[in-house]
């Protein structure tokens, strides 16, 4: 028996005998290394809807409440709750248990089934040559090594602040940090309702969306503010995940966490959880694998730069159209009247998501409709900055109303399809790769190349699905009809108020 199986057996024994996890006799921890899936949970008998597969006491999950660090340094515990974010807290906890407690840790049999550093496939572990296989996906902009480096420095500062004397903690390296952070990203859950008062909480606490990510910038709220604990949950994290095959869900009550079957599971079938509504690009970034036939939530992205390129080509007759686009975007972002017209929606974003089901966010449609109409206003290229803002004010209001009524102009629909075609030119997917090798190859670089190809194919499929997204969602009308209305309003706005009043009286 190899170490993998020995560690699996020790882990299951520890669950049942040392940390009081109740495991259904209808499941077992299985070895799926032959499919490149590592450990998994399989059904050994038929399982009915809502059956409990296992139940874990709350004191058998690892977090800042149950860890050895809080016990040995009680003065640090309050800081972990109130002055440290979720990520830094759990990273410190795991580092302490692994490096200081080691085999004496309560959780050691659990740590023994953690993936090795050599088997980690999250994008933080890819080298530059391997990352090139992911081009032109925008996931490359979300790896976040700089943000991770900042958090690494913060964790080292906290070790000094907490006066942790153990030399092994002071010698933490970048590689140690990345490994622990990657394990947390791949396997942690956000467990709600940690307060002693057992306040009622909302949500099921699943890791549907990380509150703060190690590779993402943004706010890092304290644990107490969020009333949740980022936690490692033994056995729950052994389940593989699939957006289309999910058949189990972790549910919480006051004293324990229970994995329920959310649909019947046949004997010999794998038990799947759901890590969140993520496309393959995010699944690869966070967890280091891809779904072979695509995620249920796949999307491709059309960068704003691509949209600009198409607009500049189609409206090249306008002097300095590139500068005009910048003015328009600035007005949409910052003008109070425009923001009020748009009900304060942020529609100028770095990229537009194109989902595999053909859905495109309404914000993208609205932005494109506004810009396309503005660029059709006669002599828009010679307007002053103030005139551009006034035009944006008028057009934004009209376009918001137009799309709200389920209509879009023909030119906008045409420009969108040109944007999709232009974006697809960026892709050169290697179709010669054997996708089945996802399950068989033992070469890590080969595996990453194949995963990159699968991910890119999913993005291309998503982009193609959105070619006629607006045509199917909106009733298409002639641009001139809306343009005439806009120009009429412009003329009325340019007429002095006193003259407008006289005209209205004469009509009566």
């Amino acid at each position: 028996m190899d170490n993998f199986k020995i560690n699996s057996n020790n882990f299951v024994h520890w669950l049942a005998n040392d940390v009081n996890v109740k495991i259904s006799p209808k499941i077992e921890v299985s070895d799926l290394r032959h499919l490149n899936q590592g450990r998994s949970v399989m059904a050994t008998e038929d399982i009915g809807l809502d059956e409990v597969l296992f139940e874990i006491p709350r004191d058998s999950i690892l977090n800042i409440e149950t860890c050895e660090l809080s016990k040995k340094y009680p003065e640090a515990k309050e800081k972990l709750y109130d002055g440290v974010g979720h990520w830094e807290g759990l990273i410190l906890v795991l580092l302490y248990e692994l490096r200081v407690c080691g085999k004496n840790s309560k959780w050691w049999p659990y740590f023994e089934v953690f993936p090795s550093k050599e088997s980690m496939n999250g994008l933080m572990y890819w080298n530059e040559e391997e990352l090139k296989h992911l081009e032109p996906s925008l996931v490359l902009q979300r790896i976040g090594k700089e943000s991770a480096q900042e958090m690494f420095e913060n964790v080292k500062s906290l070790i000094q602040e907490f006066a942790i004397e153990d030399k092994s903690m002071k010698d933490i390296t970048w590689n140690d940090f990345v490994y622990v952070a990657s394990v947390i990203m791949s396997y942690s859950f956000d467990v709600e309702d940690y307060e002693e008062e057992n306040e009622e909480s909302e949500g099921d606490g699943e890791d549907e969306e990380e509150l703060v990510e190690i590779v993402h910038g943004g706010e890092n709220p304290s644990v107490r503010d969020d009333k949740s604990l980022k936690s490692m949950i033994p056995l729950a994290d052994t389940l593989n995940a699939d957006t289309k095959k999910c058949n189990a869900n972790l549910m919480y009550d006051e004293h324990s966490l229970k994995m329920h079957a959310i649909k019947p599971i046949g004997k010999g079938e794998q038990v799947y959880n759901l890590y969140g509504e993520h496309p393959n690009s995010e699944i690869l970034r966070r967890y280091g694998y891809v779904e072979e036939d695509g995620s249920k939530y796949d999307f491709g992205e059309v960068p704003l730069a691509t949209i600009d390129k198409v607009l500049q080509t189609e409206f090249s007759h306008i002097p300095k159209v590139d500068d005009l686009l910048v003015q328009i975007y600035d007005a949409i972002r910052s003008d109070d009247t425009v923001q009020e017209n748009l009900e304060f929606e942020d529609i100028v974003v770095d990229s537009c998501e194109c989902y595999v089901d053909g859905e495109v966010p309404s914000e993208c449609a609205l932005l494109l409709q506004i810009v396309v109409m503005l660029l059709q206003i006669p002599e828009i290229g010679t307007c002053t900055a103030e005139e551009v803002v006034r035009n944006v004010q008028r057009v934004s209001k009209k376009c918001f109303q137009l799309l709200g009524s389920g209509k879009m102009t023909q030119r906008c629909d045409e420009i969108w399809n040109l944007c999709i075609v232009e974006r697809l030119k960026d892709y050169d997917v290697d179709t010669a790769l054997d996708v089945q090798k996802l399950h068989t190859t033992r070469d890590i670089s080969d595996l990453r190349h194949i995963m990159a190809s699968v991910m890119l194919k999913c993005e291309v499929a998503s982009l193609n699905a959105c070619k006629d997204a607006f045509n199917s969602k909106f009733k298409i009308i002639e641009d001139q009809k809306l343009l005439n209305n806009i120009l009429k309003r412009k003329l009325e706005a340019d007429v002095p108020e006193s003259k407008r009043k006289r005209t209205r009286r004469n009509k009566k």
Side-chain angles (χ1 to χ4, degrees):
M1 187 179 296
D2 63 25
N3 285 337
F4 186 95
K5 293 181 180 179
I6 292 172
N7 290 338
S8 292
N9 291 342
N10 290 341
F11 173 57
V12 173
H13 182 273
W14 172 80
L15 288 169
N17 296 279
D18 295 341
V19 291
N20 303 314
V21 177
K22 299 175 182 177
I23 305 174
S24 168
K26 295 184 178 183
I27 64 169
E28 67 178 9
V29 174
S30 297
D31 180 359
L32 291 186
R33 282 178 293 171
H34 62 288
L35 297 177
N36 279 339
Q37 293 187 28
R39 292 181 180 83
S40 66
V41 174
M42 305 291 292
T44 57
E45 300 178 35
D46 289 343
I47 297 170
L49 174 65
D50 206 36
E51 279 196 50
V52 176
L53 307 181
F54 51 84
E55 180 178 359
I56 306 171
R58 281 183 176 265
D59 60 4
S60 294
I61 63 177
L62 177 58
N63 50 44
I64 62 174
E65 177 69 29
T66 60
C67 67
E68 191 63 28
L69 178 64
S70 291
K71 295 174 184 176
K72 185 169 182 180
Y73 297 89
E75 67 280 2
K77 185 174 180 180
E78 287 303 309
K79 182 67 180 289
L80 289 172
Y81 273 106
D82 293 313
V84 176
H86 291 272
W87 278 96
E88 290 99 327
L90 193 52
I91 288 171
L92 281 168
V93 164
L94 269 185
L95 286 171
Y96 192 86
E97 295 284 344
L98 286 165
R99 296 178 65 88
V100 179
C101 301
K103 293 183 178 181
N104 293 321
S105 171
K106 168 185 175 179
W107 314 94
W108 188 253
Y110 175 39
F111 300 152
E112 288 280 81
V113 297
F114 275 8
S116 65
K117 292 181 181 179
E118 294 72 28
S119 66
M120 300 294 282
N121 273 315
L123 295 188
M124 290 288 284
Y125 280 92
W126 290 36
N127 61 40
E128 292 302 318
E129 182 178 350
E130 291 164 344
L131 289 173
K132 286 181 180 179
H133 294 312
L134 296 169
E135 296 175 349
S137 175
L138 299 190
V139 73
L140 288 166
Q141 300 176 12
R142 297 191 288 269
I143 298 174
K145 288 188 177 180
E146 290 184 5
S147 298
Q149 186 68 46
E150 291 177 9
M151 187 168 283
F152 174 48
E153 296 301 325
N154 192 24
V155 167
K156 289 196 295 184
S157 296
L158 287 169
I159 291 172
Q160 296 293 327
E161 181 181 341
F162 291 167
I164 300 174
E165 297 299 328
D166 304 86
K167 184 178 185 299
S168 57
M169 287 293 283
K170 294 181 178 180
D171 293 339
I172 297 297
T173 67
W174 166 250
N175 289 335
D176 296 327
F177 169 83
V178 170
Y179 173 71
V180 169
S182 297
V183 167
I184 292 172
M185 173 168 281
S186 298
Y187 296 104
S188 66
F189 293 75
D190 293 319
V191 179
E192 305 276 348
D193 190 16
Y194 69 88
E195 299 273 25
E196 291 182 2
E197 294 83 3
N198 290 319
E199 295 175 350
E200 185 176 352
S201 62
E202 298 178 358
D204 60 11
E206 276 210 71
D207 187 19
E208 292 181 354
E209 188 65 40
E210 297 291 354
L211 295 175
V212 181
E213 299 174 19
I214 188 65
V215 296
H216 245 353
E219 295 182 357
N220 196 355
S222 73
V223 172
R224 204 179 301 278
D225 287 341
D226 277 343
K227 294 183 170 58
S228 68
L229 282 174
K230 185 169 289 294
S231 306
M232 305 299 296
I233 307 180
L235 190 57
D237 57 17
T238 308
L239 273 65
N240 288 319
D242 193 289
T243 58
K244 298 174 181 175
K245 300 176 183 177
C246 178
N247 52 21
N249 189 20
L250 191 64
M251 302 180 185
Y252 303 171
D253 61 29
E254 183 179 350
H255 301 294
S256 66
L257 296 77
K258 300 175 183 177
M259 187 67 74
H260 287 253
I262 58 174
K263 59 180 70 172
I265 304 172
K267 179 181 178 179
E269 291 183 6
Q270 187 171 173
V271 182
Y272 288 101
N273 199 353
L274 180 66
Y275 293 161
E277 296 181 358
H278 303 307
N280 252 340
S281 56
E282 278 299 289
I283 292 173
L284 180 57
R285 182 182 74 85
R286 295 167 181 244
Y287 312 117
Y289 74 96
V290 292
E291 295 182 12
E292 178 184 341
D293 57 350
S295 164
K296 183 179 177 181
Y297 307 102
D298 269 326
F299 61 75
E301 296 175 89
V302 178
L304 185 59
T306 299
I307 296 174
D308 285 350
K309 181 179 179 181
V310 172
L311 290 170
Q312 289 168 24
T313 300
E314 293 299 305
F315 295 94
S316 59
H317 61 281
I318 298 176
K320 297 183 178 180
V321 64
D322 51 342
D323 291 339
L324 178 58
L325 287 172
V326 173
Q327 286 182 282
I328 291 171
Y329 296 148
D330 286 344
I332 293 173
R333 288 189 184 102
S334 59
D335 184 78
D336 291 341
T337 300
V338 175
Q339 282 291 298
E340 187 174 349
N341 290 342
L342 302 178
E343 297 184 353
F344 302 97
E345 287 286 340
D346 184 11
I347 66 171
V348 183
V349 292
D350 292 335
S351 64
C352 179
E353 296 170 354
C354 302
Y355 288 88
V356 71
D357 62 0
E359 186 67 25
V360 177
S362 58
E363 294 85 359
C364 181
L366 180 56
L367 174 65
L368 194 60
Q369 182 67 80
I370 291 171
V371 176
V372 168
M373 290 314 302
L374 283 164
L375 296 181
Q376 293 184 78
I377 293 176
E379 300 181 355
I380 187 67
T382 60
C383 288
T384 65
E386 293 76 12
E387 289 171 336
V388 169
V389 171
R390 286 199 294 273
N391 278 308
V392 175
Q393 291 172 345
R394 274 189 297 273
V395 171
S396 62
K397 184 174 183 178
K398 286 296 180 182
C399 291
F400 187 87
Q401 293 170 345
L402 181 73
L403 268 63
S405 67
K407 299 175 184 177
M408 173 180 278
T409 69
Q410 183 175 354
R411 191 70 173 125
C412 183
D413 181 51
E414 291 170 353
I415 294 291
W416 171 249
N417 286 332
L418 290 173
C419 290
I420 293 289
V421 171
E422 186 64 32
R423 175 56 170 156
L424 285 169
K425 291 178 183 177
D426 297 334
Y427 286 81
D428 183 20
V429 181
D430 189 347
T431 57
L433 291 174
D434 182 2
V435 175
Q436 290 304 310
K437 290 180 70 177
L438 279 174
H439 308 298
T440 58
T441 184
R442 296 296 177 263
D443 183 281
I444 196 72
S445 292
D446 188 29
L447 176 63
R448 290 172 181 175
H449 191 184
I450 297 169
M451 290 195 295
S453 178
V454 170
M455 190 207 77
L456 292 180
K457 287 179 183 178
C458 291
E459 292 192 351
V460 168
S462 300
L463 289 165
N464 278 315
C466 292
K467 272 185 180 177
D468 295 310
F470 294 158
N471 189 280
S472 59
K473 183 176 181 179
F474 299 100
K475 179 182 178 180
I476 305 300
I477 67 170
E478 294 182 3
D479 288 69
Q480 196 61 46
K481 184 176 181 180
L482 178 60
L483 187 59
N484 288 341
N485 188 292
I486 290 169
L487 294 176
K488 177 183 176 183
R489 295 297 179 185
K490 179 181 183 299
L491 288 172
E492 290 178 353
D494 291 341
V495 174
E497 178 66 19
S498 58
K499 188 172 182 180
R500 273 182 277 163
K501 288 180 179 178
R502 287 197 300 272
T503 302
R504 286 196 291 269
R505 283 198 296 268
N506 290 338
K507 286 182 179 180
K508 291 180 181 178

